[in-house]
Amino acid sequence: MIQVKDLVFGYNTSRKIIDQISFDVEDGHCIAILGNNGAGKSTMLKCLNRILSPNKGVVCVDALEITAMKQGEIAKHMAFVAQKNDNNRITVFEAVMLGRIPFIKWGVTREDEAVVSSVISQMHLDEFAVRYLDELSGGELQKVMIARALAQEPKVLLLDEPTSSLDLKNQLEVLGLVQRICHSKNIAVIIVIHDLNMALRYCDRFLFLKDGNVHAYGGQEVMTCECIGEVYQMPVCIGTINGYKMVVPE
């Protein structure tokens, strides 16, 4: 479980990008961070694992205070996947092995190799294991970056717009894999995402940010026309298609 309390961050004292952010995420739940551009979504995500050091507030994972840890220790509890990733001239297996760095002391062990092989299989990347990253498509590369994060065996997985550069098929495949891993591995997943309909399809709870503050947080009950209209400043209607709740601009 991750608990966030009174998180504050600003690059200077005159303007706070996020202010007094508080929420919690149960193990095995996937939450979507929603809001318009500039609302503070990616900034908040980076504060959770101290890529950015918050000015105030506390982040705890299973009662361990992340905000007081060094980065090496944080990496044993939380994994982060950025919006854009370098496609270096290394193989998929080597890239995923980088996720084991927080645990490697004197060299790669059989356990490390077993973890990496298992994650590659879970992410359906077996046929790409010896391919180089710069030979992969955008969807394939994104799955490798998620696999690398999962090789850390995190309790919390942070994803910053993981589908922003993917086509529809790859969006569905990547988010479907993330959802299944979240539930089967019983880890907390926090996703910054712009697509409300993808969020509704794959996430359990929804946190709306507006002007750096929590506007609403909860399950399907907060995904209303009124809430969405207030956050995005535009009217929408909500309906159901093939059993899925859908948001459509009016």
Side-chain angles (χ1 to χ4, degrees):
M1 179 179 185
I2 178 171
Q3 296 174 303
V4 181
K5 185 171 178 60
D6 299 332
L7 204 64
V8 177
F9 177 82
Y11 290 103
N12 55 60
T13 55
S14 63
R15 180 175 177 267
K16 296 175 182 176
I17 297 176
I18 57 171
D19 189 15
Q20 303 295 321
I21 299 290
S22 297
F23 65 96
D24 57 64
V25 187
E26 297 284 348
D27 295 338
H29 282 197
C30 182
I31 78 160
I33 308 300
L34 304 165
N36 57 18
N37 293 335
K41 302 184 298 297
S42 293
T43 297
M44 186 205 73
L45 200 72
K46 292 174 182 177
C47 285
L48 297 183
N49 69 342
R50 285 188 55 215
I51 291 176
L52 296 173
S53 295
N55 304 128
K56 295 180 182 177
V58 175
V59 179
C60 292
V61 176
D62 292 344
L64 298 172
E65 189 175 338
I66 296 295
T67 37
M69 291 181 183
K70 295 181 178 179
Q71 282 296 341
E73 283 299 307
I74 293 173
K76 294 180 180 179
H77 301 277
M78 306 178 79
F80 175 81
V81 178
Q83 182 179 350
K84 294 182 179 180
N85 297 281
D86 296 330
N87 54 346
N88 298 317
R89 191 67 179 172
I90 60 174
T91 67
V92 168
F93 190 90
E94 291 167 335
V96 178
M97 182 61 75
L98 292 175
R100 299 301 299 165
I101 285 177
F103 305 94
I104 294 173
K105 295 182 179 179
W106 305 109
V108 174
T109 66
R110 289 183 179 179
E111 180 184 355
D112 295 318
E113 293 177 345
V115 168
V116 170
S117 295
S118 175
V119 169
I120 286 175
S121 180
Q122 290 171 34
M123 294 298 293
H124 306 154
L125 291 167
D126 301 85
E127 64 180 292
F128 303 105
V130 295
R131 292 261 299 273
Y132 290 101
L133 296 189
D134 58 6
E135 298 174 347
L136 303 180
S137 70
E140 291 161 355
L141 179 61
Q142 190 66 294
K143 283 187 276 187
V144 172
M145 295 302 105
I146 294 171
R148 184 178 69 182
L150 292 172
Q152 293 175 224
E153 298 182 298
K155 296 178 180 177
V156 179
L157 178 61
L158 309 175
L159 304 174
D160 191 3
E161 299 188 39
T163 59
S164 61
S165 60
L166 303 183
D167 59 38
L168 180 59
K169 180 180 178 182
N170 277 301
Q171 289 179 41
L172 292 168
E173 186 173 352
V174 166
L175 289 176
L177 282 167
V178 168
Q179 183 190 56
R180 287 195 293 275
I181 289 167
C182 168
H183 295 162
S184 65
K185 296 287 187 181
N186 201 37
I187 64 176
V189 177
I190 302 175
I191 304 178
V192 171
I193 189 168
H194 280 292
D195 192 320
L196 293 172
N197 291 322
M198 287 294 184
L200 275 166
R201 189 181 184 110
Y202 291 107
C203 297
D204 303 296
R205 293 172 69 78
F206 314 93
L207 188 148
F208 285 94
L209 290 183
K210 183 181 180 184
D211 300 326
N213 303 112
V214 175
H215 183 78
Y217 180 48
Q220 295 271 340
E221 74 278 359
V222 303
M223 193 68 84
T224 64
C225 298
E226 293 74 20
C227 179
I228 295 168
E230 290 165 359
V231 170
Y232 292 96
Q233 297 297 295
M234 63 176 295
V236 300
C237 59
I238 298 175
T240 301
I241 300 176
N242 291 337
Y244 292 102
K245 200 172 182 180
M246 302 286 288
V247 178
V248 180
E250 289 186 356

